[in-house]
Amino acid sequence: MSEFLLNIFCLAGIYAVIALALNLQAGYAGLLNFGHIAFVGIGAYAVALSSQFGWSLWFALPAGIAIAMLVSLLMATLGRQLAADYWGIATLALAEIIRIVITNEDQITGGAQGIGGISAPWNGGPLLFGGVILLAVVLSTVVSLRFAASRFGRALRLMREQPQLAMCMGYSLPWLKCRALMSSAVMGCLAGMLLAWYTNYASPDYLLSSETFLIWSMVMIGGLGNVRGVLLGVLVVEALYNLIPFAKDYLHFSADLTGALRLGLVGFTLLLCLLLRPAGLLPEKLRVLS
């Protein structure tokens, strides 16, 4: 039982980092990036390929981060040509293109089978890994809070609420969006590396659109733009996600139905929050200037 709870804690911690990364762009800047999961996949495959081909970790880390930032730069470039809702669809399409390329490239990425045998750069048991993930969550939380309190974070919220006013104050909106995307890409990429190290595996399934839905649900249920709300949303969604396997033993439904019920329960909870608490369980508190 303790190993099961530790596993839930570790996965929840990794998803907390991913959700906090999404909050940097969606919560603060108001960007509808539905391809955020691509950064996680890039980080996972960066360490997977380094393990497969024997590359140095000091090469894989900056290479993965650089590729994630380049993809975020491509997303930002698409944002110059498209309106917000169409840009969200374009980011989803870009993430799907990356997943399809990974799935069909058998010789390098292992295709649909993925890459296994990925070992973490430190030696130790599950407790040590749990400590590393806890440290990552704490650091991500501190970075997010400092990010929100900084001049850049205030500029992003101004762009989100009053874009015309932000332009009048001399801010370049495309550059603000680009910086927000690149900051989020770095954090998401590092979370993907943690995920690959923890599971000892990298798979195209990490880039499925259902994963995007799951992360967005965490952020929206908890509260867009509120770090504490995002962490609460992660706990709520992870609790719901792990409730179904216990219910399966009592209600005796098939294992094939488990995945659908998981997403259905999360979707139902998200719908309730949108109807009853549109700003999330812990809404963002904005400072109003009189």
Side-chain angles (χ1 to χ4, degrees), residues 199-268:
T199 59
N200 303 118
Y201 181 63
S203 168
D205 292 345
Y206 292 171
L207 289 91
L208 288 173
S209 56
S210 58
E211 293 295 310
T212 297
F213 164 75
L214 197 65
I215 299 165
W216 267 96
S217 298
M218 293 173 178
V219 176
M220 295 185 68
I221 290 173
L224 276 168
N226 189 330
V227 173
R228 298 172 183 84
V230 171
L231 295 176
L232 177 61
V234 172
L235 292 177
V236 171
V237 172
E238 281 295 320
L240 295 173
Y241 212 67
N242 290 281
L243 176 66
I244 297 299
F246 287 102
K248 179 172 71 71
D249 297 333
Y250 289 98
L251 301 178
H252 305 291
F253 51 78
S254 64
D256 296 336
L257 197 58
T258 302
L261 288 176
R262 278 176 161 177
L263 291 178
L265 185 58
V266 173
F268 179 72

Side-chain angles (χ1 to χ4, degrees), residues 180-208:
L181 279 168
M182 294 175 77
S183 301
S184 177
V186 172
M187 190 180 294
C189 179
L190 293 175
M193 294 178 181
L194 275 178
L195 182 62
W197 282 328
Y198 179 69
T199 59
N200 303 118
Y201 181 63
S203 168
D205 292 345
Y206 292 171
L207 289 91
L208 288 173

Side-chain angles (χ1 to χ4, degrees), residues 88-166:
I89 297 173
T91 58
L92 178 62
L94 181 59
E96 190 65 14
I97 290 171
I98 294 174
R99 187 188 69 82
I100 292 173
V101 170
I102 291 174
T103 303
N104 289 278
E105 180 51 65
D106 295 332
Q107 296 182 352
I108 299 177
T109 63
Q113 302 298 321
I115 300 174
I118 306 170
S119 56
W122 56 83
N123 296 319
L127 285 177
L128 177 60
F129 216 117
V132 172
I133 292 175
L134 178 61
L135 178 62
V137 173
V138 172
L139 289 176
S140 300
T141 301
V142 172
V143 168
S144 297
L145 291 173
R146 293 295 298 271
F147 192 92
S150 67
R151 182 186 177 191
F152 178 51
R154 294 192 295 270
L156 288 180
R157 288 194 291 272
L158 178 62
M159 177 187 68
R160 181 192 68 193
E161 300 295 332
Q162 297 289 341
Q164 297 298 327
L165 179 58

